[in-house]
């Protein structure tokens, strides 16, 4: 595929790296990460190979929900720096070729936001209708309560005005009413403000809550998403919306804009993620195979965002109760490892017992699955969680730069994990010097992924491997093909793959030295080590493998 074509739609084969400024690097010695510290680590991120940084909320906040309770959408939390620091960070990131997106958290505000303070001051307030009020709240549906450990209702009584306000999340986060045109206009201004400062887009928090929980209900809730996308495209043609849309596939396709693709640019594949974990728990690829075969094709120029872990709990809400218990038993059997009855508050390396072979296989699987890979900071070195922290904060621990931590010269904002995942055992400095480290594996995976646009752009086909523990698929684009195989079990396997159209082709391994041949009958025998993985580029005998992905002129 032509690089000049794929670079126009950069998000389809980007590598997205999510980080929290607060816990990434302290630049002024006060124990809290900040933009100055982050800016000094730009070369590390560029060297890793990531192409897009996703920043978790960095706005002023009372910090009751780790920054997701916002009091000013047009500024920087003073603990993290100033707007000047932000602009310097953006300039440096762009200089190194990195795009930046940020969390767009406009489903709600903090109850300390001036808008809500004014709204609750009187029923006649000019901003009263910026939020959702009711004299008699609708009956609570237990399934609507996102945080059952903290809340028992999505309505909270406001004594001052004698009405209830809606809060889809915590009671200190009143929902904004996007049914109000003034609110929609304000959200558009927020996007425009940060785009002028260099952002290439936004990760939209809790999209279904944003467009559905309005009063009165919008005639067509998706029109708001289309309006946002149209505004962004006018301002900056290459900008994106990355949507957190955790709904069944048949409902999710509408968030792309159905066939038009004029709403959310990329949607996270929550179902594929959960089925991948079920497959790893069972050492059986069948659940993941079923998900990929069921998954609808997104509209042209839209994309799936693939992940195995993120900044929240590892939600397993789309699995059956029995399937969820299987994953719990395999990867988080203790109650303190679980959260909300539906997820795990652990990082991937600890869930896999620190088994480097298995960890490397899991991330190889992530980077090869059809879509755009999204990784969470610290995954590239195999950081663990701190279960002493409350709730989701368990996985949002300070980045481990050196054997003494290296995050800050002061007491860090959060405690650094101990034990076998402590900084003296898991850190950037040591892994840079170790050619067999997870960090070097990530660099290789990212390099190969970027060299294989077929993985993100191509038509994928799940292959029959003849063994339940082996997952294999091929991706074809413009006459070029990449074949990938992963062994989910701890015993070596040899599988035969039928590769129609590739008869007598050579399969060059992209992760290690070696080649395989496809027989005249179109069959390739692929040996796999325990928890092994193979990325294989197909090429006719007369074409060098490195040229096989370039479309002939």
């Amino acid at each position: 595929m032509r690089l000049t074509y794929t670079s126009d739609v950069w998000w389809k084969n980007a590598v997205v790296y999510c980080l929290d400024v607060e816990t990434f690097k302290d630049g002024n010695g006060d124990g809290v990460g900040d933009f100055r510290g982050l800016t000094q680590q730009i070369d590390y991120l560029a060297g890793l190979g990531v192409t897009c940084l996703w920043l978790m909320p960095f706005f002023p906040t009372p910090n009751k929900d780790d920054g997701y309770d916002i009091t000013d959408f047009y500024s920087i939390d003073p603990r993290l720096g100033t707007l000047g620091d932000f602009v310097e960070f953006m300039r440096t990131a762009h200089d190194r070729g990195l795009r930046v997106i940020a969390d767009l958290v406009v489903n709600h505000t903090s109850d300390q936001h001036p808008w809500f303070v004014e709204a609750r001051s009187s029923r006649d307030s000019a901003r009263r209708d910026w939020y959702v009020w009711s004299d008699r709240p609708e009956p609570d549906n237990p399934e609507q309560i996102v945080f059952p450990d903290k809340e028992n209702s999505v309505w909270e009584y406001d004594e001052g005005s004698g009405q209830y306000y809606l809060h889809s999340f915590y009671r200190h986060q009143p929902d904004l009413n996007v049914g109000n045109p003034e609110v929609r206009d304000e959200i558009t201004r927020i996007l425009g403000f940060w785009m002028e400062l260099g952002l290439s887009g936004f990760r939209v928090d809790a999209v279904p809550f944003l467009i559905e929980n309005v009063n009165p209900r919008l005639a067509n809730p998706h029109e708001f998403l289309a309006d946002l996308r149209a505004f962004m495209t006018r301002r900056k043609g290459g900008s994106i919306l990355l949507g957190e849309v955790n709904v069944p596939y048949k409902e999710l396709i509408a968030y792309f804009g159905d066939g038009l693709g004029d709403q959310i640019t990329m949607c996270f594949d929550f179902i594929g993620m959960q089925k991948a974990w079920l497959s790893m728990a069972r050492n059986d690829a069948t659940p993941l195979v079923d998900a990929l075969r069921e998954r609808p094709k997104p509209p042209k120029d839209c994309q799936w965002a693939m992940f195995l872990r993120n900044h929240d709990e590892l939600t397993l809400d789309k699995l059956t109760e029995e399937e969820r218990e299987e994953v719990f038993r395999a990867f988080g059997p203790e109650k303190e490892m679980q959260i909300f009855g539906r997820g795990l508050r652990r990082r991937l390396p600890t869930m896999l017992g620190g088994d480097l072979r298995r960890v490397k296989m899991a991330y190889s699987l992530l980077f090869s699955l059809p879509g755009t890979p999204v990784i969470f900071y610290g995954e590239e070195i195999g950081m663990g969680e701190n279960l002493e922290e409350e709730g989701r904060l368990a996985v949002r621990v300070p980045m481990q730069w050196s054997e003494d931590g290296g995050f800050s010269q002061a007491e860090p904002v959060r405690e650094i994990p101990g034990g076998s995942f402590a900084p003296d055992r898991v850190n950037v400095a040591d892994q840079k010097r170790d050619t067999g480290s997870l960090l070097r594996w990530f660099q290789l995976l990212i390099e190969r992924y970027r060299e294989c646009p077929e993985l993100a752009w191509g038509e994928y086909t799940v292959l029959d491997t003849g063994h339940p523990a082996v997952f294999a698929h091929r991706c074809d684009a413009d006459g070029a093909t990449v074949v990938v195989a992963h062994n989910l079990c701890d015993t070596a396997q040899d599988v035969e793959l039928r590769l129609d159209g590739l008869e007598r082709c050579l399969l060059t391994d992209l992760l290690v030295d070696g080649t395989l041949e496809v027989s005249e009958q179109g069959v390739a025998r692929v040996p796999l080590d325990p928890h092994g993985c193979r990325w294989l580029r197909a090429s006719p005998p007369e074409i060098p493998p490195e040229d096989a992905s370039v479309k002939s002129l």
Side-chain angles (χ1 to χ4, degrees):
M1 298 187 68
R2 295 184 185 178
L3 191 63
T4 52
Y5 179 61
T6 59
S7 62
D8 287 342
V9 192
W10 62 268
W11 55 87
K12 291 201 73 167
N13 66 329
V15 177
V16 182
Y17 186 98
C18 173
L19 65 89
D20 187 354
V21 177
E22 181 183 27
T23 55
F24 198 66
K25 179 65 176 179
D26 175 16
N28 62 4
D30 65 355
V32 179
D34 48 43
F35 278 104
R36 291 187 180 185
L38 171 57
T39 303
Q40 293 304 312
Q41 300 301 327
I42 288 293
D43 282 337
Y44 164 77
L45 295 166
L48 182 60
V50 300
T51 63
C52 178
L53 304 181
W54 156 22
L55 305 182
M56 291 169 62
F58 50 76
F59 313 98
T61 173
N63 219 23
K64 294 181 179 180
D65 185 22
D66 198 27
Y68 284 87
D69 48 329
I70 295 168
T71 57
D72 183 357
F73 289 101
Y74 294 100
S75 190
I76 304 289
D77 188 327
R79 299 175 310 135
L80 310 183
T82 66
L83 278 172
D85 293 328
F86 177 83
V87 170
E88 286 190 339
F89 155 72
M90 291 298 303
R91 191 211 64 81
T92 308
H94 288 165
D95 179 69
R96 302 309 196 270
L98 297 175
R99 290 180 172 87
V100 182
I101 65 174
D103 261 316
L104 181 68
V105 188
V106 289
N107 162 260
H108 55 256
T109 69
S110 165
D111 60 2
Q112 298 179 37
H113 194 293
W115 298 345
F116 189 68
V117 172
E118 181 179 344
R120 76 192 312 181
S121 65
S122 167
R123 293 196 185 192
D124 298 323
S125 164
R127 285 203 169 93
R128 184 69 175 182
D129 194 41
W130 282 42
Y131 296 85
V132 182
W133 300 90
S134 177
D135 291 325
R136 295 176 181 172
E138 299 173 11
D140 284 306
N141 178 352
E143 295 182 0
Q144 289 181 310
I145 299 173
V146 177
F147 302 124
D149 63 327
K150 299 293 185 181
E151 304 291 349
N152 55 20
S153 174
V154 296
W155 293 95
E156 180 71 7
Y157 185 68
D158 179 53
E159 294 186 1
S161 60
Q163 284 186 309
Y164 294 83
Y165 62 84
L166 180 68
H167 59 92
S168 296
F169 297 92
Y170 294 112
R171 67 188 67 186
H172 58 78
Q173 294 170 328
D175 280 18
L176 281 166
N177 177 19
V178 300
N180 185 335
E182 293 182 2
V183 173
R184 296 198 297 273
D185 288 346
E186 190 67 31
I187 292 173
T188 303
R189 278 189 285 272
I190 293 168
L191 269 63
F193 177 84
W194 292 105
M195 289 173 69
E196 286 297 313
L197 294 182
L199 290 187
S200 294
F202 302 87
R203 175 262 185 186
V204 190
D205 187 58
V207 183
F209 292 95
L210 172 64
I211 65 172
E212 297 291 348
N213 290 10
V214 297
N215 183 30
R217 291 184 61 83
L218 295 171
N220 183 354
H222 287 271
E223 284 185 359
F224 176 48
L225 298 179
D227 288 344
L228 289 182
R229 178 78 177 278
F231 168 81
M232 293 174 63
T233 301
R234 290 195 303 271
R235 291 288 179 93
K236 184 183 292 187
S239 57
I240 66 164
L241 292 174
L242 170 58
E244 182 188 30
V245 187
N246 184 11
V247 298
Y249 284 140
K250 63 181 179 180
E251 298 174 24
L252 188 149
I253 201 68
Y255 288 85
F256 283 119
D258 294 314
L260 296 176
D262 61 348
Q263 295 180 36
I264 300 296
T265 320
M266 294 200 296
C267 288
F268 286 104
D269 186 358
F270 278 91
I271 294 173
M273 176 274 290
Q274 296 180 46
K275 295 294 187 177
W277 280 103
L278 182 60
S279 284
M280 288 192 287
R282 292 177 174 177
N283 297 331
D284 182 349
T286 304
L288 178 58
V289 168
D290 292 344
L292 289 177
R293 287 177 173 164
E294 175 194 355
R295 190 175 77 173
K297 184 177 179 180
K300 185 178 183 294
D301 292 344
C302 292
Q303 182 63 297
W304 291 104
M306 308 304 298
F307 69 109
L308 289 176
R309 278 304 280 118
N310 63 9
H311 60 297
D312 288 332
E313 77 277 8
L314 173 66
T315 184
L316 303 168
D317 65 317
K318 294 299 182 289
L319 302 181
T320 66
E321 185 174 347
E322 292 76 14
E323 291 171 339
R324 191 158 45 246
E325 287 300 322
E326 283 186 69
V327 178
F328 281 167
R329 286 194 298 272
F331 302 123
E334 300 176 22
K335 281 298 181 183
E336 66 173 359
M337 300 173 177
Q338 303 167 16
I339 188 171
F340 308 140
R342 62 172 186 260
L344 292 166
R345 57 193 204 103
R346 308 190 74 195
R347 281 177 170 254
L348 183 148
T350 57
M351 286 190 282
L352 298 183
D355 183 340
L356 191 57
R357 289 184 312 173
R358 204 174 181 192
V359 171
K360 287 184 173 181
M361 183 277 297
Y363 286 121
S364 170
L365 180 65
L366 168 63
F367 277 93
S368 65
L369 287 173
T372 296
V374 181
I375 57 178
F376 188 42
Y377 77 95
E379 285 194 281
E380 72 273 20
I381 58 171
M383 277 172 45
E385 71 277 350
N386 180 10
L387 295 176
E388 298 299 317
E389 294 283 358
E390 183 178 3
R392 299 168 165 189
L393 296 182
V395 301
R396 303 175 189 176
V397 291
M399 183 68 177
Q400 297 171 191
W401 295 102
S402 60
E403 64 178 14
D404 60 353
F407 166 74
S408 175
Q409 295 180 354
E411 185 73 20
V413 63
R414 281 187 209 123
E415 188 175 344
I416 296 175
S420 57
F421 291 88
D424 61 342
R425 300 190 181 189
V426 177
N427 67 74
V428 171
D430 287 347
Q431 293 196 25
K432 278 185 174 181
R433 296 188 289 267
D434 180 0
T435 57
S437 68
L438 184 59
L439 177 62
R440 293 306 187 192
W441 179 248
F442 259 81
Q443 289 177 316
L444 177 63
L445 290 176
I446 292 173
E447 182 179 290
R448 296 295 182 261
Y449 170 77
R450 294 287 290 172
E451 292 172 351
C452 297
E454 299 91 341
L455 294 174
W457 283 81
E459 296 288 337
Y460 69 87
T461 305
V462 178
L463 302 173
D464 182 10
T465 67
H467 194 288
V470 178
F471 172 76
H473 69 290
R474 62 182 284 180
C475 296
D476 299 273
D478 287 349
T481 301
V482 171
V483 178
V484 184
H486 288 86
N487 182 8
L488 304 184
C489 71
D490 58 3
T491 57
Q493 304 294 332
D494 283 5
V495 296
E496 290 189 347
L497 303 179
R498 174 160 291 281
L499 302 173
D500 294 335
L502 300 180
E503 293 81 3
R504 304 181 70 179
C505 279
L506 194 67
L507 300 178
T508 301
D509 200 313
L510 301 178
L511 301 180
V512 297
D513 290 336
T515 58
L516 303 172
E517 292 183 357
V518 182
S519 71
E520 293 183 1
Q521 293 73 38
V523 175
R525 179 178 171 274
V526 181
L528 290 161
D529 292 333
H531 297 302
C533 49
R534 308 289 297 269
W535 290 27
L536 304 164
R537 173 168 294 292
S539 61
E542 67 275 11
I543 298 179
E546 60 271 18
D547 294 336
S549 67
V550 181
K551 185 176 181 180
S552 299
L553 298 178

